[in-house]
Amino acid sequence: EPVYDPQALQAKWQPKWEELNPFAAVEDASDSRPRKYMLDMFPYPSGDLHMGHGEVFAIGDVVARYWFQKGYNVLHPIGWDSFGLPAENAAIRRDAHPAEWTYANIDTQATSFKRYAVSFDWSRRLHTSDPEYYRWNQWLFNRFYERGLAYRKGGLVNWCPNDQTVLANEQVVAGKCERCGADVVRRELTQWYFKITDYADRLLDDMAQLEGGWPERVLTMQRNWIGRSTGADVRFRIEGRDEPVTVYTTRPDTLYGATFFVVAADAPLAEEIVAPEQREALAVYRAAVAKLSDIERLSTDKEKTGVFLGTYAINPVNGERIPVWAADYVLSDYGHGAIMAVPAHDQRDLDFARKFGLPVKVVVHTGLADPGETGVATPGEGTLVNSGPLDGLTKTEAIRKIVDILEERGAGRAAVNFRLRDWLLSRQRFWGTPIPIIHCPDCGEVPVPDDQLPVTLPDLRGADLKPKGVSPLAGATEWVNVACPKCGGPAQRDTDTMDTFVDSSWYFLRYCDPHYTGGPFDVEKVRTWGPIDQYVGGVEHAVLHLLYSRFFIKVLHDMGMVDFTEPFVRLLNQGQVINQGKAMSKSLGNGVDLGQQIDAFGVDAVRLTMVFAGPPEDDIDWAHLSPAGSLKFLARAFRVMAEAGAASAPGADAATGDPELRKVTHRTIDEVTKLVEGYHFNVAVARMMELTSAARRTIDSGPGAADPAVREAAETLAIMLSLVAPYTAEEGWERLGHAPSVAKAGWPQADPALLVQESVTAVVQVAGKVRDRLEVAPDISEADLEALALASDKVRPYLDGAPRKVIVRAPKLVNIVP
Ligand code: ANZ
Ligand code: ZN
């Protein structure tokens, strides 16, 4: 009996594939095959590959390998996102230079990727920490600078006290540093920004192109992050001040209901307008507010606080005098940093009014109880009351009318507002791209001329890289002090480095020619490959990398460098690999090591387990999975291929073979094709299992292994299996008498004549309720029917982990006790 030894197969095939190089993308213009660009989010080199990598790359590889089989000219590159804090912090902990540590990890990961048999074109490998790469970050920075899209400004920024660096808004998650989890504080600093807000409208509107191709929840997250709202700017006069103050409101219709006015406590305006007798109280309050994060400030649960500023604002439509307060629930960097408060129709204003005994005036009759009594604001639709010319109108009508009135009087206008802020780009850390600016006492900011790029990092070997609040680059005096490129006088380099999200905003373009020297990427080659047909990666990047890349592509489009406006046509967010219902972590001690799993079960069984575990978007709980079961299946599949190979030679006429098996084979081809295209990879694997069993039955019954239908089934199996279990598939293919690589064998086609067949409807019940009906072969085995039922999208939502019991009555019924 042929022996299945996964480790031996790995040792045999990995070097052969390196020789064959089956996954090289072809640049040749005369190659007329249609192209596909498949990309997995590139890894950080912060250690060896972990289970999460195992999952993403196994899933991405199903798609890439399917496209190879379908005969596309596929670009499936790999590189490393090798700058950044994780590498730097780890290097500090180990007292090593980030470069040594980073490149050693890259080598480790590359070796692991090769063993994991991902279908990469290795010739396109890039590392963002190579000067030949980051040179182009600097070149792009210069282009952004010329366009007014890179600028420096002072202001309150997010500061991580642990990492001792500023962070972009996108890197502050629920008030904490996205990297280290420390509470983020606000600091007044001058920093570099990218003007992503100029693109806010297009970032929103172009999402129409992504509908259907991107997960809805990512689109929603981006929409909320950009946060476009429409309303009006209204100008209020403040007593004792010449300059009116503008507020932004989404509800100008409620203007007659404004009973007080609130200025952000930390805004300069508060200090400008405070009456002398309230100055002291404001100063005390401001000191307390400075300690709070935006999240805390905006929380609706938080007890409202504030101080009266001793002054009054004049309502522009009815001349009413309303008191002006300073409070923390109004943010200084949103809208205009001041609001008109309408407590009847806005809950936060109502909470504030009730706390400080301010009046509540209903101006929209909604049919609900009086907010002044219930403490519940009524923000909904209704009819305007107590509002002069607006009385009797609906909300929409009133908004239109009041905007007209305000415009006539020069007291306001319709306005659009965004939540999105400019992208804070500078970091006070070492391991990143130096910002290519020279500060000259006479000429100001001077970009380093393109022909002097790259500005490489100073060596700093042996220097203390510990974060100190200023970039370690500032200590490299020889590097810092330079001649001004404009006037030649003594000047100094900017010592901050770029956010590493700059590196990842365009790396996918450089894969088209990673050593290109004529620009960041070869424009012509990007025209032939881009945009990316399928991108696979984690949902944690929903408003970070995925938003920044979209912004970059739009700028590059405006520069005439790319001809598309969205970088990623289709996006798949794979789930996480968890263990015992929880994310793997050191503190829980529930970590599973990818390398150990591979040593124990082999690459193919681990990959197959990842893919078979469930729909690719779902989290998978390793505790509920069985790599040992995957291994058993692979051994069965291998024996089918080996026995068929030993009993017959290629080229036999399948038409003369067992008609029942042929039907199963062709139905499997038909279904697996649809399942892979619909990204139901787990169900596709279940179908491969069914085909394996059907072939086994024919081998063991009358016709035997020499039956041409067995060969047809085994060859089909080898090709399909190559998407998930490449080593087993390759070995099977060779035993079936074919030359490697099975990866390029070509996807089989179902014969429609064989698809018309009797099938049986199997009913799947969960806890006694029918949840799905499956069309299956009349002679399906119990194990295969169970696998299909458990993989069903309609059944999975009713299961929480492994079911307690599964009763199978093939081919008609599966009863699952969850
Ligand atoms: C009066 C009003 C009446 C409001 C009403 C709402 C309901 P979005 O949709 O998020 O843009 N606002 C404006 N600037 C603010 C700031 N700097 N900090 C905190 N809140 C601010 O929200 C716009 C609404 O949020 C504005 O409309 C304003 O309150 C408040 F029945 O104005 B509204
Ligand atoms: Zn100068």
Side-chain angles (χ1 to χ4, degrees), residues 28-249:
D28 189 350
S30 66
D31 187 319
S32 62
R33 289 175 302 160
R35 297 181 181 217
K36 288 273 191 194
Y37 189 170
M38 164 69 209
L39 190 64
D40 320 273
M41 289 183 188
F42 66 168
Y44 282 115
S46 49
D48 198 353
L49 299 183
H50 52 64
M51 292 296 277
H53 293 119
E55 162 90 347
V56 196
F57 290 95
I59 286 170
D61 216 30
V62 174
V63 179
R65 285 175 174 270
Y66 175 71
W67 286 342
F68 279 112
Q69 294 288 18
K70 292 287 277 187
Y72 289 100
N73 185 5
V74 182
L75 174 56
H76 187 201
I78 181 68
W80 277 269
D81 192 8
S82 48
F83 264 148
L85 272 184
E88 188 171 341
N89 289 340
I92 291 168
R93 275 200 303 278
R94 280 153 220 243
D95 216 4
H97 191 280
E100 284 160 20
W101 192 84
T102 299
Y103 288 96
N105 280 339
I106 289 176
D107 281 346
T108 305
Q109 292 196 349
T111 304
S112 295
F113 271 133
K114 286 181 179 167
R115 174 163 82 146
Y116 206 54
V118 190
S119 63
F120 293 135
D121 178 346
W122 281 94
S123 70
R124 291 160 189 273
R125 169 173 177 173
L126 61 79
H127 318 124
T128 58
S129 53
D130 291 351
E132 79 160 344
Y133 184 87
Y134 70 73
R135 167 187 181 181
W136 300 108
N137 280 342
Q138 295 169 335
W139 185 92
L140 287 164
F141 178 94
N142 282 351
R143 301 291 84 72
F144 278 51
Y145 186 81
E146 286 160 8
R147 302 184 145 248
L149 292 172
Y151 69 95
R152 220 156 78 108
K153 75 164 183 203
L156 279 178
V157 298
N158 302 302
W159 176 265
C160 173
N162 180 42
D163 291 326
Q164 293 276 307
T165 181
V166 298
L167 300 169
N169 283 353
E170 288 79 4
Q171 288 164 321
V172 181
V173 179
K176 301 199 186 299
C177 170
E178 178 234 357
R179 284 284 152 75
C180 75
D183 283 329
V184 170
V185 297
R186 308 274 276 172
R187 265 205 184 181
E188 178 81 31
L189 285 172
T190 298
Q191 298 288 318
W192 285 97
Y193 292 84
F194 276 148
K195 210 165 182 200
I196 191 171
T197 52
D198 268 12
Y199 285 77
D201 273 315
R202 282 163 66 186
L203 285 166
L204 267 180
D205 297 341
D206 287 354
M207 260 183 238
Q209 293 178 46
L210 307 176
E211 294 285 353
W214 280 38
E216 197 47 51
R217 72 169 165 161
V218 175
L219 294 178
T220 303
M221 282 164 86
Q222 289 213 0
R223 238 176 246 125
N224 292 342
W225 187 260
I226 298 165
R228 178 163 64 194
S229 73
T230 54
D233 278 347
V234 184
R235 280 143 63 98
F236 280 70
R237 205 165 63 71
I238 306 272
E239 284 182 0
R241 182 188 155 97
D242 296 337
E243 197 45 23
V245 175
T246 304
V247 300
Y248 172 72
T249 174

Side-chain angles (χ1 to χ4, degrees), residues 440-444 446 484 486-489:
C440 169
D442 295 326
C443 314
V446 184
C484 166
K486 242 191 203 161
C487 71

Side-chain angles (χ1 to χ4, degrees), residues 229 248-251 254 298 329-332 334-340 342 345-346 348-349 417:
S229 73
Y248 172 72
T249 174
T250 44
R251 295 292 305 276
T254 63
L298 288 175
Y329 80 98
V330 173
L331 302 178
S332 56
Y334 187 70
H336 303 285
I339 65 157
M340 63 177 210
V342 185
H345 306 296
D346 182 290
R348 281 178 297 156
D349 294 346
N417 203 39

Side-chain angles (χ1 to χ4, degrees), residues 466-478:
K466 283 203 189 65
K468 290 176 275 306
V470 280
S471 167
L473 296 183
T477 353
E478 273 178 38

Side-chain angles (χ1 to χ4, degrees), residues 612-787:
F612 185 49
E617 308 82 18
D618 286 10
D619 286 352
I620 62 175
D621 190 336
W622 204 251
H624 292 159
L625 301 175
S626 170
S630 301
L631 190 60
K632 266 192 207 141
F633 158 65
L634 288 170
R636 269 192 291 135
F638 165 76
R639 280 195 298 273
V640 163
M641 296 184 285
E643 287 170 36
S648 69
D653 182 6
T656 62
D658 173 10
E660 289 313 312
L661 179 57
R662 294 209 71 209
K663 283 179 195 167
V664 178
T665 301
H666 284 264
R667 193 189 60 229
T668 305
I669 296 171
D670 184 55
E671 300 231 346
V672 170
T673 306
K674 290 180 195 147
L675 289 165
V676 170
E677 292 195 350
Y679 291 16
H680 302 290
F681 309 134
N682 57 322
V683 193
V685 171
R687 289 290 179 186
M688 294 178 207
M689 293 174 170
E690 190 191 351
L691 176 62
T692 305
S693 305
R696 168 55 54 199
R697 277 195 301 276
T698 305
I699 294 173
D700 290 348
S701 62
D707 188 298
V710 169
R711 165 162 286 276
E712 183 184 41
E715 289 180 346
T716 301
L717 186 61
I719 295 170
M720 291 180 166
L721 211 49
S722 76
L723 309 191
V724 259
Y727 290 107
T728 312
E730 194 72 271
E731 179 69 17
W733 191 241
E734 187 185 58
R735 298 223 179 190
L736 283 158
H738 296 286
S741 169
V742 66
K744 294 289 202 67
W747 194 249
Q749 272 216 308
D751 179 349
L754 290 165
L755 295 179
V756 270
Q757 51 115 35
E758 347 76 86
S759 64
V760 188
T761 306
V763 168
V764 187
Q765 294 182 330
V766 183
K769 284 213 173 70
V770 177
R771 295 300 180 190
D772 201 4
R773 287 171 212 278
L774 302 166
E775 291 303 304
V776 297
D779 56 352
I780 190 167
S781 74
E782 298 205 331
D784 292 337
L785 184 54
E786 175 176 337

